[in-house]
Amino acid sequence: MGLMSGPYVIRGSVSLPEAELMWRFSRSSGPGGQHVNTSDSQVELRFDLARTEALPPVWKERALERLASRLVGGVVSVRASEHRSQWRNREMAATRLAALLAEATAPPPRPRRATKIPRGINERRLRNKKQRSQTKRGRAGEGWG
């Protein structure tokens, strides 16, 4: 079996620490014919988010908070079983985990600054409304039924 394709970057210079990844393989349902009964192609990748030192403390805090519903004892797990080959499923799982952590550690969006609607825009809107209502009122006259 070939080597995994490099470090899985979460964001910037931070990547998934290979030593902290826990892999588990099991038989997968889905395509594969008789091959599926004999090979452990389903991959479950677990990462101990609560104990890791690989993430900056701020990121770790953010991820623990955002992934709280997915964590089991501080461990986040990802499954992959789409492919027939275990290697491709490993790639999938690692990529998914990196993407999940990237999303969970992203900084919160900037708060929206409330702005006032310019008076001209509001007046134009009201003028158009009035005109539209006049047009419709004009249609309700005699001889239109």
Side-chain angles (χ1 to χ4, degrees):
M1 189 168 105
L3 286 164
M4 298 292 290
S5 59
Y8 291 92
V9 177
I10 296 172
R11 198 169 53 251
S13 61
V14 181
S15 57
L16 284 176
E18 201 67 53
E20 293 182 34
L21 300 180
M22 296 167 279
W23 299 93
R24 199 208 267 132
F25 308 101
S26 54
R27 303 220 169 121
S28 172
S29 63
Q34 288 90 346
H35 172 75
V36 96
N37 305 327
T38 58
S39 65
D40 292 343
S41 61
Q42 176 171 287
V43 174
E44 187 183 354
L45 174 57
R46 300 164 52 131
F47 178 64
D48 196 338
L49 191 55
R51 291 206 190 91
T52 187
E53 296 296 315
L55 299 177
V58 183
W59 287 22
K60 190 164 140 179
E61 219 169 279
R62 227 181 262 154
L64 283 168
E65 196 177 300
R66 291 184 186 166
L67 297 175
S69 60
R70 282 194 69 153
L71 297 176
V72 180
V75 177
V76 65
S77 73
V78 173
R79 268 210 179 110
S81 60
E82 295 80 72
H83 301 293
R84 276 184 64 165
S85 98
Q86 186 192 91
W87 187 78
R88 281 172 72 188
N89 281 332
R90 282 176 68 129
E91 293 277 300
M92 271 308 269
T95 307
R96 257 187 226 159
L97 182 62
L100 185 71
L101 289 175
E103 204 176 300
T105 58
R110 282 219 179 105
R112 181 186 175 277
R113 277 198 9 227
T115 55
K116 202 168 167 225
I117 297 172
R119 193 193 306 160
I121 287 176
N122 218 10
E123 283 174 358
R124 190 177 335 140
R125 182 181 64 87
L126 293 174
R127 239 194 336 274
N128 287 345
K129 274 173 75 100
K130 206 162 265 170
Q131 200 162 6
R132 186 91 183 121
S133 102
Q134 291 294 339
T135 305
K136 288 190 169 192
R137 191 174 291 142
R139 290 181 191 154
E142 287 296 308
W144 279 91

